[in-house]
Amino acid sequence: MAAHLKKRVYEEFSKVVQIPHEEAPAKKLRLSKPSKSAALHIDLCKAASATDALQYLLEFARKPVEAESVEGVIRILLEHYYKETDNSVRLKIASLLGLLSKTNGFSPDCVVDDVINTLGNEKSHQVLAQLLESLLVIGGQLPESPAVRRRLVQVACKLLSDTNFGVRNKCLQLLGFLGTVETPLTKDGEGPSSSLGGVRDVQSIISTYFSDQDPRVRTAALKAMLQLHERGMKIHQIIYEQACRLLSDDYEQVRSAAVQMVWVLSQLYPESIVPIPSSNEEIRLVDDAFGKISHMVSDGSWMVRVQATKTLGSMLQVSPHFLEQTLDKKLMSDLRRKRTAHERAKELFASGEFSSGRKWADDAPKERLDTNTVNLIASGACGAFVHGLEDEMFEVRIAAVEALCQLARSSPSFAEKCLDFLVDMFNDEIEEVRLQSIHVLREISTHITLREDQLDTVLAVLEDSSRDIREALHELLCYTNVSTKECIQLALLELLKNLNKYPTDRNSVWKCLKFLGSRHPTLVLPLVPELLSTHPYFDTPEPDMDDPAYIAVLVLVFNAAKSCPTMPALFSDHTFRHYAYLRDSLSHLVPPLRLPGRKQVYSLDSVDSGCGSGSVESAKLFLQQSLNRVSTIQNLETPGAQDLLNFTIRDLQRLGELQTELAGAADFCATFLRCQLLLMKALQEKLWNMAVPLCPKQNVTATAAAQQILEETYKLEFLYNGLESRQVATIHHVRLQAKALQLVLTARTRPGLDLLIGSCEKFLQEIESFQRMFLTELPHLQDSFVDKLLEIMPRLLSCKPVELVKILQTTLRQSGLLQLRLPEQIHRATATIIEPTGESDNPLRFTSGLVVALDIDATLEHVQDPQDKVKVQVLYPDGQSHVIHPKPADFRKPGPTRHRLITQVYLSHTAWTEPSQVEVRLLLAYSSSSSSPSSSNKSGWSDSIDGLPPAEAAVEGTIPFSKPVKVFIMPKPARR
């Protein structure tokens, strides 16, 4: 009976639900987040003291707030602001108002009036200053609201009469950031106070506070005026006189800001004429400003001296005689006011008598004029750069050297005059100053020619223990002109001494002599018999070709002979043989020469280089045609397609060898096509139509091919610079194909259900990660492997692992070659190990268990962030491998795309019976992750990310990108 009643109840319920005219509207679920304003209100109401309230506010400041909740939170804060009596709590609330106004997606125009109203009843100066800071933030967030900005400026003007310096500072700062020149400010209701007078603009109001009693306010006024200039407002010229007066202020920060203000005005009005005080003379404003800033080089504060010195370097419109005065401590006659002959004769006539000569000095001037009143430049400004170069602070000396460099580059005559001063700085006690002086002289080397005494001072630096100093000096000598053959002889002797004292400088010295010879062929010519030890009557012994000093002399002579056709007549027979040897072994140092009576084998390079300059465009066209030819591979059978890929890869490799400009792009395309070739071989028909036990060798080959494709894709992604998003998407597509091939091979060779399920889930996550990362590039991947998988993605998520493997196998074999877009500008990261050379047969001997230091000197090209990525690998004969991470200080950057690694590697091993070789190479470390870069930008509040698949763990590895160098070592047993 009970069962019967239960059945009837269910029947009646089902009938009621299915009545047509009772269609209840669908209920929508809305996920609501807890209100931040309500939570803050509750916390502040719970606060029993000001300390508790401050603690709640500090905790609240650490949490992000959504844009839609900001206005409510600000209302709650303002409500508690009016109730709160403690200054520290109100100060924190005022700080939070500015912090919340910067929330992305929130427009603070709805709370401007409320924040402004808080200023009226506030008595604390600190809170008032913080409120003005928040208003400054609000004004910065509303650049399209001129009415709001105008009102904020008027509020700032109204509070400028406050007695506290902090409030006046913030008001001036607000005027500098928000003030405009269009709207005049008045002294009525909402304008500035009556003490500021009638209608005035922002600049006149700010300039009023240049004479404020507080130095911090004077500094703020200058910075506000500079801020107006940065915003594009032209500063009035009348400010110049006030700024010049502030150069003698007692406060360091005021003088520093005044220097900057004077410089700005000198750039705005360089040709304006200003009078000289206490005289009738007038000079250009830029010259007057240059003299006044030069005077600040002798300031008592070293920070002001640094800024003044740097500012002088950017004043390129100064008259030459003012510029030259900075190199002489005595006032030149050009900068004194002189009377004309007519004025002198008129004065003599007015005196009524001429000198009779009987009385000593009876014609002396009646009035002795003060030198300070007649000078066109202040006497303290004379020799400004001399003072700067002799300053006790090395920061000032470095600034003076850099300023001299900037001015000398624009004035060849000034470069010649400051040459002696720069050469003297080579003897500075601070290495950084010496190094900067060498770099500066290198930059102005086109304007100067070194005398013998100057060259002697320069070459003395070659004895410096710092390798950076010596190499910088070698580079300086490469681009320096000398005046006599004695200078060439002196430079060669000092460089040979350097080579003998520091053998590791060999390559740098050779390169220096190469440029020295090519720049001075006529000076080298009379020295050739002495340098080569030749004699017109007697045969001289043949020098040793293993001597680095003799090679250095030959490099100098051969490079000079390229521009001097009469020089080869002075060579002996063994010199021609040595030329042939060096032309083959050191072709980058020895140029091709046309030797009389010899086969012109070595002059062919000059022809190649002449006609090869125009072949870059044809090489680019050939590269594009090769890629277009490969795109037709779909129409060929498998053997023909593989042959086409092989030939194209060979052509691209050869193209990279012939055209260094296209080496990166050619190698990139060849590596990509090699991946496609490996994939094509692994997907041959023969392998997949046979059972696994019948073709074990083919399975091993396919597995090795999949692993090699993965390694090549990492090389493509991290070994080449300049890749665009489309190329990166193509590389990840090939990597996904290789992982799909690995999954299919795993299912065929190791049919374990648990392993297969985990591999399938991981692969599906990688597909979704690929879709998130390259969503914008998917339209360019039509009919590709990934495109076909994304079309059937719902089916892949619901099918069994075995069915998934079959779908992947079919899709892999049906997907064609993905078209590669030619990169615009791509470079391959390369490394060349200079030291050790690997040519020495003498082993490095050390006691077993101890260490020996091996010097590493390598050049890195197109490597980004080498401090984090470059490592040194040492491979021992027994298979042990050590990877060393060099220190960041071991890297130098001589060029925009070039780095230099100079470090030491410590080797250690147990005792050996005989010497053996260890391999040293450089590795490029990488870290790859398939997670989207945007996935790390999580929302501030608890947004659910459960629906997204977990990101793949980062794959870390290293790529060898230098040729290995073999070094002989011999660990000896320890003596007992």
Side-chain angles (χ1 to χ4, degrees):
M1 186 65 182
H4 180 65
L5 291 174
K6 187 176 183 180
K7 181 179 180 183
R8 290 188 62 186
V9 169
Y10 283 149
E11 288 176 354
E12 291 175 1
F13 178 78
S14 61
K15 288 179 183 178
V16 171
V17 171
Q18 294 178 1
I19 291 176
H21 65 272
E22 292 188 3
E23 292 182 358
K27 294 182 178 180
K28 296 181 180 180
L29 294 178
R30 181 172 61 88
L31 297 178
S32 62
K33 298 176 182 177
S35 172
K36 296 295 181 291
S37 57
L40 178 62
H41 178 70
I42 294 173
D43 288 341
L44 292 176
C45 289
K46 288 192 303 183
S49 63
T51 305
D52 295 341
L54 192 60
Q55 187 64 33
Y56 287 131
L57 290 173
L58 290 172
E59 293 177 0
F60 179 79
R62 300 188 190 102
K63 302 174 184 177
V65 182
E66 306 92 340
E68 57 271 14
S69 302
V70 171
E71 184 176 357
V73 172
I74 290 180
R75 303 289 180 196
I76 294 297
L77 288 173
L78 289 172
E79 180 182 346
H80 286 273
Y81 174 87
Y82 288 113
K83 297 178 182 178
E84 188 60 53
T85 57
D86 189 81
N87 288 342
S88 60
V89 178
R90 294 204 312 277
L91 182 66
K92 184 59 183 176
I93 292 177
S95 174
L96 285 175
L97 294 177
L99 187 63
L100 290 169
S101 299
K102 292 190 290 186
T103 305
N104 290 331
F106 172 69
S107 180
D109 53 354
C110 56
V111 296
V112 172
D113 295 335
D114 299 311
V115 179
I116 291 177
N117 292 335
T118 59
L119 298 171
N121 301 324
E122 184 56 57
K123 303 300 181 185
S124 171
H125 295 296
Q126 290 183 340
V127 179
L128 201 57
Q130 186 60 54
L131 287 171
L132 288 169
E133 178 71 25
S134 299
L135 286 175
L136 177 61
V137 172
I138 292 174
Q141 296 294 316
L142 299 172
E144 306 297 331
S145 301
V148 174
R149 286 175 160 241
R150 194 179 308 115
R151 186 176 179 193
L152 293 178
V153 169
Q154 291 173 348
V155 169
C157 293
K158 191 174 182 179
L159 293 174
L160 271 173
S161 57
D162 195 281
T163 57
N164 183 264
F165 76 92
V167 177
R168 299 203 298 276
N169 280 358
K170 293 300 178 183
C171 290
L172 290 168
Q173 189 177 356
L174 200 147
L175 288 176
F177 275 90
L178 303 179
T180 57
V181 72
E182 295 86 2
T183 306
L185 303 172
T186 59
K187 64 177 182 178
D188 56 7
E190 293 184 341
S193 61
S194 57
S195 62
L196 296 176
V199 178
R200 307 176 64 181
D201 63 348
V202 176
Q203 293 190 29
S204 61
I205 293 175
I206 294 177
S207 62
T208 305
Y209 290 87
F210 285 175
S211 56
D212 193 272
Q213 61 181 358
D214 195 297
R216 290 163 290 193
V217 178
R218 298 197 294 272
T219 305
L222 285 167
K223 291 183 177 179
M225 193 71 76
L226 291 171
Q227 184 62 36
L228 291 178
H229 169 70
E230 291 178 6
R231 291 174 49 214
M233 191 181 299
K234 191 171 184 180
I235 307 300
H236 299 159
Q237 187 178 347
I238 58 175
I239 306 295
Y240 177 73
E241 185 179 352
Q242 302 178 38
C244 291
R245 286 199 296 267
L246 291 176
L247 290 175
S248 57
D249 196 276
D250 295 335
Y251 190 60
E252 169 187 339
Q253 298 296 330
V254 178
R255 298 197 302 274
S256 178
V259 168
Q260 198 171 355
M261 190 74 246
V262 170
W263 176 83
V264 167
L265 290 166
S266 71
Q267 303 303 305
L268 291 176
Y269 307 98
E271 301 300 329
S272 298
I273 302 300
V274 295
I276 299 177
S278 305
S279 72
N280 297 325
E281 297 294 325
E282 294 179 340
I283 59 174
R284 298 162 65 223
L285 189 145
V286 66
D287 293 336
D288 187 60
F290 186 81
K292 287 180 167 56
I293 296 177
S294 298
H295 185 70
M296 301 304 294
V297 177
S298 304
D299 193 86
S301 169
W302 70 270
M303 296 181 66
V304 177
R305 297 200 299 271
V306 168
Q307 184 176 6
T309 308
K310 289 182 177 179
T311 305
L312 289 178
S314 59
M315 303 181 72
L316 305 179
Q317 299 172 315
V318 184
S319 303
H321 51 280
F322 278 88
L323 202 58
E324 294 165 4
Q325 179 62 69
T326 58
L327 300 177
D328 194 348
K329 291 183 179 181
K330 294 181 180 180
L331 186 65
M332 298 179 181
S333 60
D334 290 343
L335 296 179
R336 289 199 182 102
R337 189 186 60 173
K338 297 180 286 291
R339 292 177 298 171
T340 63
H342 179 71
E343 290 175 337
R344 291 196 299 270
K346 182 179 180 181
E347 183 182 355
L348 186 62
F349 177 77
S351 64
E353 62 179 11
F354 292 90
S355 172
S356 61
R358 297 178 180 177
K359 192 174 182 180
W360 178 258
D362 60 348
D363 57 347
K366 303 290 187 299
E367 178 187 3
R368 292 188 176 274
L369 300 178
D370 185 9
T371 56
N372 287 328
T373 63
V374 300
N375 296 341
L376 301 184
I377 185 174
S379 59
C382 299
F385 282 123
V386 179
H387 291 296
L389 294 174
E390 296 174 351
D391 199 277
E392 60 179 349
M393 304 297 293
F394 80 93
E395 293 91 349
V396 181
R397 299 200 296 274
I398 290 179
V401 168
E402 293 174 349
L404 279 175
C405 173
Q406 295 178 20
L407 294 170
R409 279 187 300 186
S410 61
S411 175
S413 60
F414 184 72
E416 295 178 2
K417 291 181 173 60
C418 68
L419 178 59
D420 286 326
F421 298 96
L422 289 175
V423 170
D424 287 341
M425 296 307 294
F426 285 16
N427 299 320
D428 197 275
E429 67 270 16
I430 303 296
E431 178 181 341
E432 189 176 351
V433 179
R434 298 198 301 272
L435 190 60
Q436 189 63 31
S437 304
I438 295 172
H439 290 326
V440 164
L441 205 59
R442 156 74 181 88
E443 292 186 30
I444 65 173
S445 58
T446 54
H447 300 314
I448 59 175
T449 300
L450 289 178
R451 302 189 308 270
E452 189 171 355
D453 59 321
Q454 294 170 337
L455 184 64
D456 195 13
T457 305
V458 169
L459 293 174
V461 185
L462 288 174
E463 299 181 2
D464 199 294
S465 59
S466 171
R467 184 169 186 164
D468 292 336
I469 294 286
R470 297 196 306 272
E471 291 188 352
L473 192 65
H474 294 158
E475 186 178 1
L476 168 64
L477 292 176
C478 289
Y479 300 97
T480 300
N481 300 314
V482 296
S483 53
T484 62
K485 65 182 181 66
E486 285 77 13
C487 293
I488 294 290
Q489 196 167 16
L490 177 63
L492 177 62
L493 291 176
E494 293 298 328
L495 287 170
L496 293 181
K497 289 181 182 177
N498 174 26
L499 189 61
N500 185 38
K501 186 175 182 180
Y502 301 103
T504 55
D505 292 352
R506 180 180 63 180
N507 291 284
S508 183
V509 169
W510 288 351
K511 177 186 173 184
C512 172
L513 288 170
K514 169 190 173 181
F515 285 93
L516 202 62
S518 61
R519 293 179 70 91
H520 306 88
T522 56
L523 299 181
V524 176
L525 179 61
L527 298 175
V528 170
E530 182 181 353
L531 295 179
L532 298 181
S533 301
T534 58
H535 195 276
Y537 306 118
F538 303 106
D539 285 336
T540 54
E542 180 176 350
D544 184 11
M545 277 302 296
D546 292 332
D547 184 10
Y550 177 62
I551 295 177
V553 173
L554 290 182
V555 168
L556 173 73
V557 172
F558 290 152
N559 280 277
K562 184 178 181 180
S563 304
C564 187
T566 60
M567 192 178 296
L570 302 175
F571 295 171
S572 57
D573 291 338
H574 62 259
T575 306
F576 292 109
R577 294 196 304 271
H578 295 169
Y579 168 77
Y581 171 74
L582 291 179
R583 181 68 190 131
D584 288 336
S585 59
L586 298 174
S587 58
H588 62 289
L589 294 174
V590 178
L593 300 178
R594 293 186 177 274
L595 303 178
R598 304 273 168 173
K599 293 181 180 180
Q600 302 301 322
V601 178
Y602 303 103
S603 63
L604 295 177
D605 291 355
S606 60
V607 180
D608 293 341
S609 61
C611 66
S613 58
S615 62
V616 177
E617 293 299 326
S618 60
K620 286 183 179 179
L621 181 61
F622 176 77
L623 179 59
Q624 186 62 55
Q625 289 175 348
S626 300
L627 295 178
N628 294 338
R629 185 169 57 250
V630 170
S631 64
T632 63
I633 204 172
Q634 311 292 346
N635 306 325
L636 301 176
E637 298 293 335
T638 301
Q642 292 184 10
D643 291 340
L644 177 60
L645 284 176
N646 278 318
F647 292 146
T648 307
I649 292 171
R650 182 198 63 186
D651 292 344
L652 292 177
Q653 289 175 341
R654 181 58 179 160
L655 177 65
E657 296 173 359
L658 295 176
Q659 288 290 343
T660 55
E661 295 88 350
L662 297 177
D667 291 344
F668 179 83
C669 297
T671 306
F672 175 78
L673 294 180
R674 192 180 303 114
C675 293
Q676 298 292 340
L677 180 61
L678 290 171
L679 190 62
M680 186 178 296
K681 290 181 178 180
L683 295 173
Q684 289 180 9
E685 191 80 20
K686 179 181 177 181
L687 172 64
W688 304 101
N689 291 338
M690 298 175 63
V692 177
L694 298 179
C695 51
K697 185 176 180 181
Q698 286 83 351
N699 279 289
V700 173
T701 304
T703 305
Q707 183 61 34
Q708 186 177 353
I709 292 172
L710 284 178
E711 295 175 357
E712 295 290 343
T713 56
Y714 286 119
K715 288 182 181 179
L716 287 172
E717 185 175 1
F718 297 103
L719 203 57
Y720 295 88
N721 297 324
L723 296 181
E724 300 173 359
S725 178
R726 187 176 300 184
Q727 280 103 41
V728 178
T730 306
I731 294 170
H732 279 255
H733 181 273
V734 176
R735 188 179 302 161
L736 207 58
Q737 286 179 299
K739 291 181 177 179
L741 178 60
Q742 282 185 333
L743 177 58
V744 174
L745 291 172
T746 302
R748 284 169 61 89
T749 56
R750 291 180 292 176
L753 185 59
D754 295 337
L755 177 63
L756 187 58
I757 291 175
S759 301
C760 291
E761 290 178 351
K762 184 178 179 182
F763 184 75
L764 291 175
Q765 293 170 6
E766 290 171 353
I767 294 177
E768 295 189 2
S769 298
F770 181 91
Q771 183 182 13
R772 291 198 312 273
M773 289 177 65
F774 304 107
L775 189 61
T776 58
E777 300 298 332
L778 290 179
H780 304 293
L781 302 176
Q782 295 291 338
D783 298 330
S784 63
F785 172 70
V786 173
D787 186 53
K788 293 178 180 178
L789 291 183
L790 291 176
E791 289 179 358
I792 57 173
M793 194 64 183
R795 180 184 171 190
L796 297 178
L797 292 172
S798 59
C799 68
K800 295 181 180 180
V802 177
E803 185 181 356
L804 173 63
V805 170
K806 291 181 180 179
I807 294 174
L808 289 179
Q809 178 178 336
T810 306
T811 310
L812 268 176
R813 297 183 62 189
Q814 291 178 352
S815 59
L817 176 67
L818 193 61
Q819 180 69 22
L820 178 65
R821 178 185 173 187
L822 184 64
E824 292 293 334
Q825 190 72 21
I826 186 171
H827 300 283
R828 175 173 176 160
T830 57
T832 304
I833 299 178
I834 302 173
E835 292 288 342
T837 58
E839 300 172 353
S840 177
D841 294 332
N842 297 323
L844 291 174
R845 302 179 183 274
F846 61 99
T847 304
S848 63
L850 301 180
V851 296
V852 62
L854 178 65
D855 292 325
I856 303 291
D857 184 1
T859 302
L860 313 176
E861 297 281 354
H862 304 290
V863 180
Q864 297 178 349
D865 301 326
Q867 294 86 350
D868 301 326
K869 297 180 180 179
V870 176
K871 299 181 180 180
V872 182
Q873 183 188 43
V874 180
L875 187 63
Y876 292 92
D878 58 355
Q880 292 187 33
S881 176
H882 293 169
V883 177
I884 300 97
H885 195 169
K887 301 187 297 292
D890 294 338
F891 293 92
R892 281 86 168 168
K893 191 175 182 180
T897 60
R898 176 179 298 178
H899 290 82
R900 183 88 177 272
L901 173 62
I902 301 176
T903 186
Q904 281 189 333
V905 172
Y906 296 102
L907 309 179
S908 181
H909 211 278
T910 55
W912 296 353
T913 57
E914 60 183 16
S916 189
Q917 292 177 332
V918 296
E919 284 190 0
V920 180
R921 70 180 68 188
L922 296 182
L923 304 178
L924 187 68
Y926 66 87
S927 176
S928 171
S929 177
S930 296
S931 60
S932 174
S934 61
S935 63
S936 59
N937 300 328
K938 297 180 182 178
S939 177
W941 298 97
S942 55
D943 294 337
S944 175
I945 57 171
D946 297 335
L948 298 179
E952 178 196 5
V955 178
E956 297 183 353
T958 55
I959 303 172
F961 73 120
S962 74
K963 293 181 179 179
V965 175
K966 296 183 178 181
V967 181
F968 265 106
I969 65 171
M970 177 59 189
K972 301 180 297 182
R975 294 182 180 180
R976 298 189 180 276

